[in-house]
Amino acid sequence: MTTKTFQLETLTCPSCAAKIEVAIKRLKGINEIQVLFSSSRVKVTFDEALTDVTEIVKTIEALGFDVLSIK
Amino acid sequence: MLRITKGQRVMIAGILIAISFALKQPNFNPTVSDVFMIAAAVIAGYPIVLNAIRALKFRYLGIEALVTLAVTGAIIIGEYWEAAAVTFLFMFGSYLEAKTLEKTRSSLKALLDLAPETAKVLRDNGEIEVSPEEVTRGEIVIVRPGEKIPVDGTISEGSAYVNQASITGESLPIAKNIGDVVYLGTIIESGYLKITAEQISEDTTFARILHLVEEAQDKKAKTQKFMEVFAKYYTPGIMILATVIFLVTKDIELALTLLVIACPGALVISTPVSIVAGIGNGAKHGVIIKGGEVIEKLAAIKSLAFDKTGTLTVGRPTVTKLKGFAITEEELLYLAASAESYSEHPLAKAILEAGKGLEEPLITPQDSQFIIGQGLQVKLNDNIYYLGNRKLMTENKIAIPTEVADYLNLEETAGQTTVIVADALNILGVVSIADEIRGDALNLVQKLKRLGIKKTVMLTGDNKLVASSIAKKVGLDDYFAELLPQDKVAILKKLQTEDKTAMVGDGVNDAPALATADLGVALGGIGSHVAMETADVVLMSAELKKLTYAINLSQATIKNMKQNIYFAILVVGVLLVGVITKTVVLSSGMLIHELSVILVILNAIRLLRFNEK
């Protein structure tokens, strides 16, 4: 299990947060996801054997949000 | 594809709608007007549809999908104005929301902007400019007036007036001299400093504050969690209602309008915006409140337990009086200071500080033994001396004459801690030591009562007479003296069964109590990273007025949040009734929805300006 934090462009509606949460939860190997609305960050704990950072970034970007940095 | 900003898109859609209205003349072909209206709907609606599709790919049905459905429906039934109005208002609303939301988060950004960008460091006998992260521990940095200190460190040369507002919220400059600790992000107003770097970038107090505040702003309040659950059921509920109404009455307009109001936006955002603004305001004033739930708790606190030393008092005991019974005052001080030469006890430090004025060099003790809870036994020039409390005297069979006993009582009733000095047979004198009560402790209780605090108590390890004297001076309701750390925890637990209780301490020697309390408040967090981590509320400076500020702010935040919630619930009700009774149509439904969201945000922004009078 690893945890990564993705810094997104500024989130402006709480429903965006809900959307990202639902979409990422649907990926395989996601253990925990937290969308930090105020700081526009997504914190994901996942199983590296089942998914990876690229997959998560792809999902977030497919929803229309730019990922600015990953920590 | 042509990239245009949200603002531009809203403007173009607005212009198209205006043109459409202008073309709506009785002798003009209505189709031209309709074309402009549809164009506006398409321009404003494009990103909505796009986002709806993106989300649907992940099987998420959000507000965009509902709006898309409603708008498509409106176009099909020929309600072009409604379609254009709904998309335009939705986009315009979200544009304004983004702008105003940014404002609620501005405190943190303002704080970030206070971080220094460069550091001047001494290397190879020259001064070079580097970024603050590139300084290494132990290096000397140079800071001049108007510049920001780029590290946490100790002053090795020079003196200056330093403005620590970025950390404590207090803009009154503080004098700093050699040996004093200074912090990253604070500004030298006058003077010149050479600082030995001790903590760099991420490890500095400033960086920790930023990190804590950032985390706190996203920690959900209980109310928020409830709202989210409510929204989770409300949205599908309204969708089902819309479907049923459509199937039963075949009233497509009514069904579509219901879809537009299915997301209670104002309700969902009502709590987080207030919390973010409240926490941001606190951070600007040197008060770190760790999350929405902590704000809720702090606003509801009814009882406060204070640690004594370092919290109600300054925490720097000083010798206030010397009384010689068999020797002169000067001899007494000389003897006491010599005896305490190697001691680290706070009382010993006070005696040594007072002894600094003596001309004759102190005698080095040959032997020194610390007896817990009693005092010290030392050997000076082959003679045994005892320094401590009554217990130490009785244990060593030294009689306490009435004259001395009366004097001790008198001093202790006045809040002085006494150190009895005796040789092997007789009491020689008494040193009185007191820890100054903080200036802002004196009107503290009065202010707290005004904020609805019912009970204030003090927990201390000190003796009863001293505790009683301080409790009386500060005006506390009660005090508990002669406590060991585990006793403090037990008393707190008991207090908590009666009322919601917060523990206020300096976080250094009362960490267990801070952790036990419903709510732990650390005073003077600037000096202790441990206190910053353990406490729920951190008052960066050691000022009790920050405590009233924190309570006042959290109450204001909760009030603001409740205004938002009640307003949002009202809007939900009005919209629902309005739609069902057909007084609210697609466009006005969207207008009310967007307006309510913006009003809720604007209300939260008021919190940023909250300042205690």
Side-chain angles (χ1 to χ4, degrees):
Chain A
M1 286 292 166
T2 52
T3 302
K4 293 272 178 202
T5 306
F6 304 80
Q7 177 70 55
L8 312 190
E9 58 177 314
T10 314
L11 295 179
T12 55
C13 53
S15 67
C16 314
K19 186 156 64 180
I20 296 169
E21 195 173 322
V22 168
I24 295 200
K25 253 188 204 151
R26 296 245 156 90
L27 293 175
K28 271 193 200 107
I30 301 294
N31 192 261
E32 205 191 326
I33 161 142
Q34 227 185 332
V35 181
L36 307 170
F37 176 58
S38 297
S39 50
S40 307
R41 282 189 192 153
V42 182
K43 206 169 157 187
V44 192
T45 305
F46 58 94
D47 186 345
E48 291 153 293
L50 294 169
T51 187
D52 57 15
V53 171
T54 332
E55 189 75 23
I56 295 167
V57 170
K58 234 166 69 192
T59 308
I60 296 174
E61 289 187 336
L63 288 168
F65 302 97
D66 286 335
V67 177
L68 304 179
S69 67
I70 305 164
K71 242 201 304 206
Chain B
M1 197 201 91
L2 185 68
R3 282 288 275 211
I4 52 171
T5 65
K6 212 185 224 179
Q8 287 165 338
R9 189 179 290 279
V10 169
M11 220 162 66
I12 295 169
I15 292 168
L16 288 173
I17 291 175
I19 294 174
S20 167
F21 268 115
L23 291 176
K24 228 177 197 164
Q25 303 298 335
N27 51 356
F28 212 81
N29 186 352
T31 322
V32 184
S33 166
D34 286 346
V35 167
F36 274 98
M37 211 50 110
I38 292 169
V42 169
I43 293 274
Y46 171 72
I48 306 175
V49 177
L50 189 67
N51 279 329
I53 294 170
R54 281 165 169 170
L56 282 172
K57 276 187 195 153
F58 292 93
R59 285 172 288 148
Y60 179 81
L61 193 64
I63 185 164
E64 282 108 349
L66 299 181
V67 171
T68 302
L69 200 61
V71 169
T72 315
I75 290 178
I76 291 170
I77 59 173
E79 294 282 357
Y80 306 125
W81 150 242
E82 293 290 325
V86 166
T87 51
F88 171 75
L89 287 170
F90 185 83
M91 287 307 287
F92 191 37
S94 73
Y95 172 76
L96 287 180
E97 280 154 31
K99 290 279 164 211
T100 46
L101 260 178
E102 212 167 274
K103 181 92 186 147
T104 66
R105 297 166 178 168
S106 63
S107 306
L108 191 64
K109 208 183 154 288
L111 211 56
L112 265 169
D113 290 342
L114 294 174
E117 271 151 27
T118 59
K120 293 189 183 104
V121 60
L122 267 187
R123 275 182 201 166
D124 311 322
N125 297 323
E127 187 183 325
I128 59 162
E129 202 172 285
V130 296
S131 102
E133 299 97 69
E134 286 164 8
V135 179
T136 50
R137 277 180 201 173
E139 277 191 309
I140 305 282
V141 296
I142 297 163
V143 194
R144 298 189 174 82
E147 292 179 346
K148 286 170 189 163
I149 294 173
V151 294
D152 280 8
T154 307
I155 299 173
S156 55
E157 197 184 316
S159 63
Y161 275 97
V162 178
N163 183 334
Q164 304 201 116
S166 58
I167 288 183
T168 61
E170 284 306 305
S171 49
L172 209 65
I174 295 167
K176 296 269 187 180
N177 295 300
I178 293 177
D180 286 345
V181 177
V182 288
Y183 303 94
L184 179 142
T186 58
I187 300 169
I188 295 195
E189 293 206 340
S190 63
Y192 165 90
L193 293 180
K194 278 190 180 168
I195 302 158
T196 309
E198 275 151 14
Q199 306 286 350
I200 317 294
S201 56
E202 290 297 303
D203 297 323
T204 60
T205 301
F206 182 80
R208 280 167 207 259
I209 293 176
L210 277 183
H211 184 70
L212 288 177
V213 172
E214 216 170 51
E215 276 198 347
Q217 291 195 330
D218 272 308
K219 271 195 198 134
K220 290 177 184 174
K222 277 201 175 125
T223 324
Q224 186 178 352
K225 288 179 195 154
F226 172 76
M227 291 302 158
E228 282 174 6
V229 172
F230 174 81
K232 213 166 136 189
Y233 290 103
Y234 182 79
T235 305
I238 292 291
M239 282 157 60
I240 293 168
L241 184 68
T243 318
V244 170
I245 283 184
F246 176 65
L247 291 177
V248 174
T249 65
K250 302 283 175 214
D251 188 340
I252 187 163
E253 261 190 88
L254 180 58
L256 292 177
T257 313
L258 271 174
L259 290 182
V260 166
I261 63 151
C263 277
L267 199 59
V268 174
I269 209 166
S270 59
T271 312
V273 286
S274 298
I275 300 285
V276 165
I279 290 176
N281 177 306
K284 225 166 49 190
H285 291 91
V287 173
I288 303 173
I289 306 173
K290 293 189 190 164
E293 210 171 325
V294 176
I295 291 195
E296 290 174 318
K297 276 190 193 165
L298 186 58
I301 284 292
K302 285 283 168 270
S303 170
L304 280 168
F306 292 91
D307 181 40
K308 181 180 77 82
T309 309
T311 304
L312 292 172
T313 65
V314 178
R316 234 181 299 116
T318 44
V319 172
T320 51
K321 218 194 241 175
L322 294 157
K323 169 87 177 170
F325 287 101
I327 53 176
T328 68
E329 266 80 70
E330 193 165 335
E331 282 167 340
L332 175 67
L333 181 60
Y334 182 70
L335 196 62
S338 298
E340 299 276 17
S341 293
Y342 294 142
S343 182
E344 283 291 317
H345 196 274
L347 294 179
K349 281 190 191 155
I351 292 176
L352 285 170
E353 188 64 36
K356 274 188 185 163
L358 294 167
E359 281 176 21
E360 215 173 320
L362 299 177
I363 314 161
T364 314
Q366 292 153 299
D367 181 41
S368 162
Q369 236 181 310
F370 184 67
I371 306 144
I372 295 169
Q374 297 185 13
L376 201 65
Q377 178 187 334
V378 286
K379 206 179 200 180
L380 296 171
N381 293 343
D382 294 327
N383 293 317
I384 297 283
Y385 293 96
Y386 297 99
L387 284 89
N389 55 18
R390 291 181 185 82
K391 200 169 176 198
L392 182 72
M393 300 302 134
T394 34
E395 294 270 312
N396 292 289
K397 307 199 170 49
I398 299 164
I400 303 174
T402 343
E403 189 195 359
V404 177
D406 288 349
Y407 178 79
L408 289 174
N409 273 330
L410 198 72
E411 284 295 290
E412 285 172 356
T413 315
Q416 310 285 313
T417 303
T418 53
V419 177
I420 308 168
V421 181
D423 60 18
L425 301 165
N426 295 305
I427 288 177
L428 304 173
V430 174
V431 182
S432 299
I433 295 172
D435 190 1
E436 199 189 325
I437 295 178
R438 287 190 192 280
D440 50 6
L442 299 172
N443 61 356
L444 174 72
V445 173
Q446 200 189 352
K447 276 168 130 189
L448 288 173
K449 297 270 160 166
R450 235 179 289 145
L451 291 172
I453 303 295
K454 289 198 299 202
K455 196 169 170 192
T456 54
V457 304
M458 178 172 79
L459 313 180
T460 176
D462 219 333
N463 80 48
K464 279 202 177 97
L465 284 172
V466 176
S468 139
S469 154
I470 289 177
K472 215 184 209 164
K473 277 186 196 153
V474 177
L476 300 173
D477 297 313
D478 204 356
Y479 66 89
F480 299 88
E482 290 163 32
L483 303 176
L484 296 170
Q486 59 266 38
D487 301 333
K488 290 189 185 178
V489 171
I491 291 174
L492 254 181
K493 278 191 180 151
K494 198 178 152 281
L495 286 171
Q496 284 175 176
T497 57
E498 293 157 16
D499 271 316
K500 289 218 181 312
T501 308
M503 170 80 201
V504 188
D506 61 5
V508 181
N509 33 37
D510 42 24
L514 281 189
T516 311
D518 290 333
L519 196 75
V521 182
L523 191 77
I526 191 169
S528 160
H529 287 167
V530 180
M532 280 177 71
E533 298 300 328
T534 31
D536 300 300
V537 179
V538 185
L539 312 173
M540 291 311 294
S541 62
E543 293 171 299
L544 286 164
K545 65 175 185 192
K546 293 289 181 191
L547 175 66
T548 41
Y549 188 86
I551 297 175
N552 207 345
L553 173 67
S554 63
Q555 290 177 351
T557 306
I558 296 300
K559 195 172 137 200
N560 190 282
M561 185 182 96
K562 282 189 177 156
Q563 290 164 350
N564 278 351
I565 293 172
Y566 293 142
F567 172 71
I569 289 177
L570 184 77
V571 169
V572 166
V574 164
L575 278 176
L576 208 53
V577 172
V579 170
I580 303 281
T581 58
K582 294 209 159 183
T583 39
V584 171
V585 292
L586 269 180
S587 53
S588 49
M590 186 52 93
L591 181 69
I592 295 169
H593 169 86
E594 292 298 334
L595 265 181
S596 66
V597 172
I598 288 163
L599 277 175
V600 159
I601 300 175
L602 288 177
N603 187 41
I605 288 176
R606 290 190 314 127
L607 264 183
L608 291 175
R609 288 196 299 271
F610 170 85
N611 207 336
E612 199 175 44
K613 265 117 234 150

